[in-house]
Amino acid sequence: MEKKIMKGNEALAEGAVRGGCRFYAGYPITPQSEILEWMAKRQPEVDGVFVQGESEIASVNMTYAARAMGARALTSTSGPGFSLYQEGIAYWVSAGMPCVVACVQRFGIGDGFIFAGQDNYWQAVKGGGNGDYHLITLAPNSVQECHDMAYESFGIAEKWMHPVLLLSDGTIGQMVEPCELKPMQEYDMDQPWATMGVKPGEDHKVITDITYFEDLDEWNEKYLQKMRKISEEEQRWENICVEDADIVLVAYGISSRVAEGAVARAREEGFKLGLIRPITLWPYPRKAFEEIPDTCRGVVTVEVNMMGQMREDVIITLKGKFPTYAYATRRSVAKVDEIIAYAKDVYDGKVKEEEVY
Amino acid sequence: MSDRARKTPDIMYCENRFCAGCGHALFNRILGEVLTEMDIISDTVICSDIGCNHQFQFCMNVDTIVPPHGKMGAALTAMKRVRPDKYAMTIAGDGGAYAIGLGETMAAAARNENVTFFVMNNTVYAMTGGQLAPTTMIGQKTASTPLGRTEAANGQSTNVFDLMGGLDIAYLARTTITNPANVAKTKKMVRKALEKQRDGKGFSLLEVLDPCPTNWGMKPADAMKHIDEVVSKYYPLGEVIDK
């Protein structure tokens, strides 16, 4: 197995290439530009296509058209660009195009800042564009997972004919770790659903809102069944020391790396901390929460944002069974001792359970 | 020859959905004939705009991709680069190509992408009820310029010859379909634009002045006359780039 020391962003791009990605379009934006630069070098080497779009809006729609022509297609961006992507992504969904998008989150509203954040959560998992949809959302928390998730993302998208979002963050994207590289996979672009020109005697294919050519009510029913099936079958998570925890942390991405350290340290001190790490953010891993013991005193999300965005999904999942809290560290990634101190305050009843915003 | 020209090509698989006297139906028929005569239907993918123009997909048996309104310049770029052996073209509206999609249209032209734009210029947003388009003429009344377009309020009209005249592209031309002679001319220009793409010469754009009797409040024959007497004077016909 080939092993390399690399950045999360590079590992993600290489994972996509090895997973058969032969089209990439994107627009430079920090902290994800390494994905674009890696693709600029790699796509020509594998007879793929690289386009630096004139904007995020152009890039998201290039990705759509490339996918419609059959190529495994990826685009990547960060917060402000991800906002511009939303119209295009809604079109992917309505047409059932299995495109993949990576969003390497940075902190802030509007332009925001170039350093890491986890405040695209709502936009990422609650839709983002118009209409009823969620994207299948994978959240890597290591360089290796950036690689592995990009590698398998196309297969997941094609299994459901539904887009996949890789929700990374500036820290995961920029940090350097060893990474085992996956073997090269080839993909046949001549898919039965792809537009390639009508052969004599065939009916044409139109890549558009599927309901323009199918009965709207029948399609709605099928779509709902599919989304329900995804939400049951694609849940992924990692539970660490949850079965006897007095306080359970819930964290993804970079926050989960720190939370993992907090669990280990707290356990050494005799404080029974546990961690639920959602690996898919949609579907939200509801099943992971079944392991929480009745004796648990509180469930605490750890997030790099202001409003504790993910706590809402924890509340929805727990349906009031346990009090919930957000250790939302705003612009900074949480520290191990701070997490433990906050969790102890929750355990001691010193923290008031807040209403959501 | 004349018999074959009169027969509707098989690519037109049912009646179109356009209003009586609409120019889109005529143009689609012309394009259908050219694709048939060049024998490239099985190598053609059309990128649709969104607007009246997009209704070709409901009467033409041709593979189609529909991106968001106006984003054809981006979509065509990807289509052609992924499959350079296919013909990538759009039937666009003037609002799609020159307003909401102006950036994507110009960027594709500036890169001299080897793709073809057919832009239907009827001087209004037709599907939504005849509002101001970039191509609305000074003085022209529309649903959103009830007193007529003024330069002060709405800016100058967009003339694609001015936008692209200086670019290093393969083909830039304007035509109309107001009478049999013009239809025949348009057919030749459609073919020429596609031959530029076939020969790898780069970006081609053919604008078609077409009538919208519904939103112009005219009878179909009067709308044709209006193009000959007014619109084609404002937007001159002809080929300005032919490389």
Side-chain angles (χ1 to χ4, degrees):
Chain A
M1 190 67 84
E2 205 181 338
K3 206 165 188 176
K4 263 192 169 177
I5 304 280
M6 59 203 309
K7 278 190 173 191
N9 285 338
E10 296 166 348
L12 188 152
E14 185 59 25
V17 169
R18 288 173 183 245
C21 173
R22 293 296 176 271
F23 183 90
Y24 174 92
Y27 187 81
I29 183 170
T30 309
Q32 66 80 51
S33 296
E34 293 87 357
I35 300 177
L36 173 123
E37 291 167 7
W38 192 272
M39 287 300 194
K41 176 173 175 292
R42 285 292 277 144
Q43 285 299 340
E45 290 174 0
V46 296
D47 293 326
V49 177
F50 167 84
V51 189
Q52 183 168 324
E54 67 270 21
S55 66
E56 278 96 353
I57 291 175
S59 302
V60 71
N61 293 309
M62 286 175 181
T63 306
Y64 170 73
R67 189 72 262 217
M69 300 294 276
R72 282 187 164 174
L74 172 80
T75 184
S76 63
T77 186
S78 185
F82 194 56
S83 295
L84 289 169
Y85 274 21
Q86 297 309 316
E87 176 197 41
I89 290 173
Y91 275 69
W92 298 355
V93 175
S94 76
M97 279 296 104
C99 304
V100 179
V101 53
C103 175
V104 183
Q105 298 178 85
R106 61 193 232 179
F107 182 82
I109 305 164
D111 190 9
F113 301 87
I114 60 170
F115 45 80
Q118 293 186 309
D119 53 355
N120 274 162
Y121 182 86
W122 281 332
Q123 187 180 36
V125 306
K126 300 298 179 192
N130 55 305
D132 287 301
Y133 73 88
H134 298 280
L135 300 177
I136 301 169
T137 306
L138 302 172
N141 84 343
S142 65
V143 171
Q144 186 67 56
E145 278 193 353
C146 286
H147 185 75
D148 296 350
M149 286 178 179
Y151 186 80
E152 68 171 330
S153 60
F154 294 102
I156 299 171
E158 286 153 14
K159 176 182 173 192
W160 300 104
M161 292 306 276
H162 193 77
V164 167
L165 164 63
L166 305 170
L167 190 68
S168 175
D169 62 65
T171 310
I172 296 293
Q174 294 297 329
M175 70 187 191
V176 176
E177 290 181 322
C179 181
E180 271 187 13
L181 300 178
K182 297 272 191 189
M184 206 68 175
Q185 201 185 111
E186 289 305 323
Y187 176 73
D188 182 8
M189 286 208 320
D190 291 356
Q191 293 294 312
W193 46 264
T195 45
M196 295 174 273
V198 182
K199 300 289 167 287
E202 278 181 7
D203 268 349
H204 64 155
K205 298 188 222 35
V206 183
I207 306 291
T208 185
D209 185 324
I210 296 169
T211 61
Y212 293 165
F213 289 88
E214 278 188 33
D215 181 86
L216 178 58
D217 294 321
E218 281 173 25
W219 185 83
N220 284 173
E221 195 51 44
K222 268 196 321 205
Y223 174 76
L224 283 174
Q225 282 172 15
K226 174 174 99 172
M227 295 303 273
R228 179 60 70 201
K229 218 162 175 269
I230 298 172
S231 73
E232 288 302 322
E233 294 178 16
E234 292 291 347
Q235 294 181 34
R236 296 188 197 185
W237 67 90
E238 181 187 12
N239 278 6
I240 299 174
C241 302
V242 173
E243 69 284 349
D244 66 341
D246 287 329
I247 299 291
V248 171
L249 305 173
V250 186
Y252 73 95
I254 186 59
S255 294
S256 70
R257 292 290 288 270
V258 188
E260 215 179 306
V263 171
R265 174 96 57 87
R267 291 264 165 181
E268 282 168 19
E269 296 169 7
F271 177 39
K272 289 194 276 185
L273 210 49
L275 168 66
I276 293 175
R277 173 167 83 95
I279 296 173
T280 53
L281 298 175
W282 190 85
Y284 201 68
R286 296 187 297 269
K287 295 171 191 170
F289 291 74
E290 291 166 8
E291 206 193 337
I292 303 176
D294 291 343
T295 50
C296 172
R297 292 202 188 176
V299 178
V300 180
T301 66
V302 183
E303 312 179 49
V304 190
N305 57 41
M306 293 190 283
M307 291 187 164
Q309 298 184 9
M310 189 172 65
R311 181 177 162 233
E312 292 187 1
D313 277 336
V314 173
I315 292 171
I316 291 167
T317 303
L318 291 174
K319 299 187 173 75
K321 191 172 176 195
F322 302 105
T324 62
Y325 309 86
Y327 188 55
T329 51
R330 304 187 181 184
R331 56 172 286 181
S332 307
V333 178
K335 294 190 170 63
V336 165
D337 52 350
E338 292 169 358
I339 295 176
I340 295 173
Y342 185 86
K344 278 184 177 161
D345 284 349
V346 170
Y347 182 80
D348 293 336
K350 290 182 190 162
V351 184
K352 191 171 160 281
E353 189 181 18
E354 284 186 324
E355 287 297 319
V356 294
Y357 285 93
Chain B
M1 181 66 202
S2 58
D3 282 349
R4 195 174 65 179
R6 282 196 199 96
K7 185 179 174 289
T8 307
D10 291 340
I11 188 174
M12 317 305 290
Y13 69 88
C14 65
E15 292 288 316
N16 69 68
R17 299 179 173 186
F18 297 104
C19 303
C22 174
H24 284 77
L26 257 170
F27 177 78
N28 290 350
R29 167 70 184 266
I30 293 168
L31 180 61
E33 287 183 10
V34 173
L35 296 178
T36 304
E37 289 164 21
M38 289 177 75
D39 195 18
I40 57 171
I41 294 168
S42 60
D43 289 318
T44 292
V45 183
I46 300 185
C47 175
S48 176
D49 191 2
I50 291 179
C52 290
N53 45 76
H54 92 281
Q55 304 206 50
F56 75 86
Q57 63 190 277
F58 303 111
C59 58
M60 280 177 89
N61 194 34
V62 62
D63 272 3
T64 302
I65 295 173
V66 192
H69 180 36
K71 307 309 166 194
M72 300 79 68
L76 287 168
T77 297
M79 289 158 64
K80 189 70 182 179
R81 292 196 188 197
V82 167
R83 293 187 186 268
D85 54 330
K86 303 294 177 191
Y87 288 83
M89 67 197 76
T90 179
I91 307 170
D94 43 9
Y98 303 154
I100 192 166
L102 179 65
E104 286 75 13
T105 304
M106 286 303 290
R111 290 190 299 257
N112 197 23
E113 297 287 342
N114 192 25
V115 301
T116 303
F117 269 69
F118 300 113
V119 182
M120 311 302 290
N121 177 358
N122 55 17
T123 72
V124 288
Y125 280 89
M127 181 168 262
T128 46
Q131 297 83 8
L132 172 87
T135 46
T136 297
M137 299 174 289
I138 296 293
Q140 185 181 344
K141 288 181 180 172
T142 71
S144 57
T145 51
L147 301 176
R149 179 176 193 149
T150 65
E151 204 175 313
N154 314 108
Q156 295 176 351
S157 314
T158 295
N159 182 338
V160 72
F161 286 1
D162 297 334
L163 294 179
M164 293 188 183
L167 294 180
D168 186 17
I169 56 177
Y171 189 60
L172 180 62
R174 185 181 288 120
T175 183
T176 187
I177 40 148
T178 49
N179 56 48
N182 281 333
V183 167
K185 238 185 249 173
T186 298
K187 193 170 164 180
K188 278 187 189 144
M189 291 161 100
V190 167
R191 185 170 182 130
K192 199 176 201 178
L194 293 176
E195 283 171 353
K196 300 288 183 197
Q197 187 177 151
R198 180 193 66 195
D199 300 340
K201 293 202 166 159
F203 188 89
S204 52
L205 186 146
L206 176 63
E207 184 182 286
V208 184
L209 301 180
D210 77 314
C212 181
T214 302
N215 286 301
W216 291 357
M218 292 178 185
K219 289 178 181 160
D222 293 338
M224 292 294 196
K225 214 167 130 192
H226 181 66
I227 290 177
D228 284 338
E229 290 174 358
V230 179
V231 186
S232 62
K233 302 289 181 289
Y234 200 90
Y235 292 114
L237 307 178
E239 297 171 319
V240 293
I241 298 177
D242 182 3
K243 284 180 185 160

